[in-house]
Amino acid sequence: MLRRTLLPALLATPALLSARAQDRPLPPHGFLFGSWTGGIFPAIETQGSVCFGAVTMIVTADVVMRASSLDVAFRQRLVETVALAPNGVEIRLAPIPGRAPPEAGFGCDGNPDLLRVVRRGEDEVVLQGCNEFPFPLRRCKG
């Protein structure tokens, strides 16, 4: 009896969760959520496994990760605040206690805790003033 009552609820849960997620507005940096290529080098391929094999930045609601030329692991930074800016957002990253490791930031205007993102289109952004990311980033798809 218990199985019969739980099964419909379990099957309906993904649909309910996606409906609730659609009702919730995205945060200001929601357009950045996902995997991005380029930045460090020109973005050429944005489709499929070729792009996902060359990801240089990943953005979630609470974390921004960047590829590192010194290590195989991504550098992870917690998002402290996000503010709307003309044509994009300004993301303040939580400070790293003590001495920051190499490539902890994005090389932006000498401040490792600041990331200014200019939106150039649906799937292209520029990290303004970030000398370590001189090229535009493009979203990986599919």
Side-chain angles (χ1 to χ4, degrees):
M1 183 75 164
L2 183 60
R3 284 187 183 172
R4 288 185 187 171
T5 58
L6 283 178
L7 187 58
L10 291 174
L11 293 175
T13 301
L16 291 174
L17 290 176
S18 66
R20 288 182 186 145
Q22 290 173 355
D23 292 341
R24 239 179 296 139
L26 285 175
H29 64 306
F31 70 92
L32 285 171
F33 293 175
S35 299
W36 298 82
T37 189
I40 300 170
F41 50 85
I44 297 170
E45 183 60 53
T46 60
Q47 296 293 320
S49 60
V50 174
C51 186
F52 288 106
V55 169
T56 54
M57 184 172 79
I58 300 170
V59 180
T60 70
D62 301 322
V63 177
V64 177
M65 294 174 266
R66 65 159 286 184
S68 168
S69 59
L70 300 177
D71 197 356
V72 294
F74 277 76
R75 303 287 185 209
Q76 297 183 36
R77 298 294 305 276
L78 291 176
V79 172
E80 188 173 68
T81 63
V82 180
L84 287 173
N87 301 321
V89 293
E90 182 175 287
I91 301 172
R92 293 214 175 269
L93 304 169
I96 297 173
R99 184 181 167 124
E103 298 183 6
F106 289 77
C108 306
D109 299 326
N111 186 346
D113 300 332
L114 182 64
L115 188 57
R116 288 187 181 103
V117 182
V118 176
R119 190 175 189 178
R120 283 197 172 167
E122 187 65 29
D123 297 317
E124 184 174 300
V125 297
V126 172
L127 304 183
Q128 186 176 18
C130 300
N131 57 8
E132 293 180 28
F133 285 74
F135 299 99
L137 289 124
R138 299 191 61 208
R139 183 185 313 278
C140 289
K141 298 178 187 175

